């Protein structure tokens, strides 16, 4: 969490992390400079604090980093937060009239992108996205460990919809993937732009 506050990355030192370059979370500041971060630490304690990046200068930004670190430490408690999963973290963005259209645009692409994100990352089992108060759950329902004829099918469930598969293949030492939806017993291969 402290790496998140100071905008660093501890991922280079740990194979248990999901990201690669340390820029993923920073890019979300396009949506909101103040986000609520809530979750649990490895020792079972929970935290709930505002991560504030609304600074006008580098000095003000450094001060905010210190303030957020203090707020994080002050929020630590042995009580369980609202996150129920073992490794869950909840990040809440407060949108304004300028950022809400950007968020809506992103949400329209999530339905197509999140099954791929889950399929390609063994450490992510489930993502819950809340849009206008309604949660949508994307969950890796089944993943075969063995490649079958050069294909690895990964089954993804999205709420109560028919499941989809992400078929991953390794042509010529590269990786390719496509989405296959299942509707009424039929398999429909979706082009990558769908």
């Amino acid at each position: 969490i402290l790496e998140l506050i100071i905008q660093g990355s501890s991922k280079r030192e740990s194979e248990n992390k999901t990201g690669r370059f340390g820029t993923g979370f920073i890019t979300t500041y396009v949506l909101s400079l103040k986000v609520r971060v809530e979750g649990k630490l490895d020792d079972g304690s929970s935290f709930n604090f505002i991560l504030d990046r609304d600074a006008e200068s580098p000095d003000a930004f450094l001060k905010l980093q210190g303030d957020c670190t203090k707020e994080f430490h002050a929020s630590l408690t042995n009580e369980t937060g609202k996150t129920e999963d073992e490794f869950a973290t909840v990040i809440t963005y407060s949108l304004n009239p300028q950022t809400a259209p950007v968020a809506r645009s992103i949400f329209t692409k999530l339905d197509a992108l999140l099954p791929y994100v889950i399929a390609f990352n063994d450490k992510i089992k489930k993502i819950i996205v809340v849009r206008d108060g309604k949660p949508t759950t994307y969950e890796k329902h089944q993943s075969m460990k063995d490649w079958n004829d050069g294909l690895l099918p990964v089954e993804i469930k999205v709420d109560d919809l028919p499941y989809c598969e992400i078929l991953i293949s390794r042509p010529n030492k590269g990786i390719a993937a496509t989405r296959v939806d299942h509707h009424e017993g039929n398999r429909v291969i979706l082009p990558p732009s769908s």
Side-chain angles (χ1 to χ4, degrees), residues 24-25 27-29 31-36 91-95:
F25 186 75
T27 62
T28 67
Y29 288 129
L31 297 176
S32 179
L33 291 173
K34 295 180 183 179
V35 296
R36 178 165 298 282
I91 300 173
T92 306
Y93 297 88
S94 298
L95 304 178

Side-chain angles (χ1 to χ4, degrees), residues 54-136:
D54 195 6
E56 297 292 326
S57 69
D59 288 339
F61 185 75
L62 286 173
K63 181 181 180 324
L64 282 177
Q65 286 180 330
D67 293 346
C68 290
T69 301
K70 289 176 190 170
E71 187 175 343
F72 162 70
H73 285 293
S75 77
L76 287 172
T77 176
N78 288 329
E79 297 176 19
T80 303
K82 72 177 180 183
T83 58
E84 298 172 6
D85 294 328
E86 185 179 354
F87 299 107
T89 300
V90 175
I91 300 173
T92 306
Y93 297 88
S94 298
L95 304 178
N96 62 42
Q98 290 79 29
T99 60
V102 174
R104 280 190 202 85
S105 172
I106 292 167
F107 280 137
T108 62
K109 294 168 180 55
L110 283 180
D111 290 326
L113 295 175
L114 285 181
Y116 287 95
V117 170
I118 294 170
F120 275 97
N121 195 316
D122 289 335
K123 293 175 181 60
I124 298 176
K125 305 297 182 210
K126 177 170 53 173
I127 297 173
I128 301 171
V129 177
V130 180
R131 307 174 214 203
D132 299 320
K134 182 181 180 288
T136 302

Side-chain angles (χ1 to χ4, degrees), residues 164-165 178-191:
C164 73
E165 286 177 306
T178 193
R179 179 174 169 163
V180 179
D181 281 359
H182 292 255
H183 294 287
E184 299 173 3
N186 296 316
R187 298 174 85 190
V188 179
I189 297 175
L190 299 178

Side-chain angles (χ1 to χ4, degrees), residues 47-60:
F47 56 88
N48 185 341
F49 69 101
I50 298 290
L51 184 55
D52 188 354
R53 293 287 179 256
D54 195 6
E56 297 292 326
S57 69
D59 288 339

Side-chain angles (χ1 to χ4, degrees), residues 10 45-46 119 130 134 193:
S10 61
S45 60
S46 62
V130 180
K134 182 181 180 288
S193 62

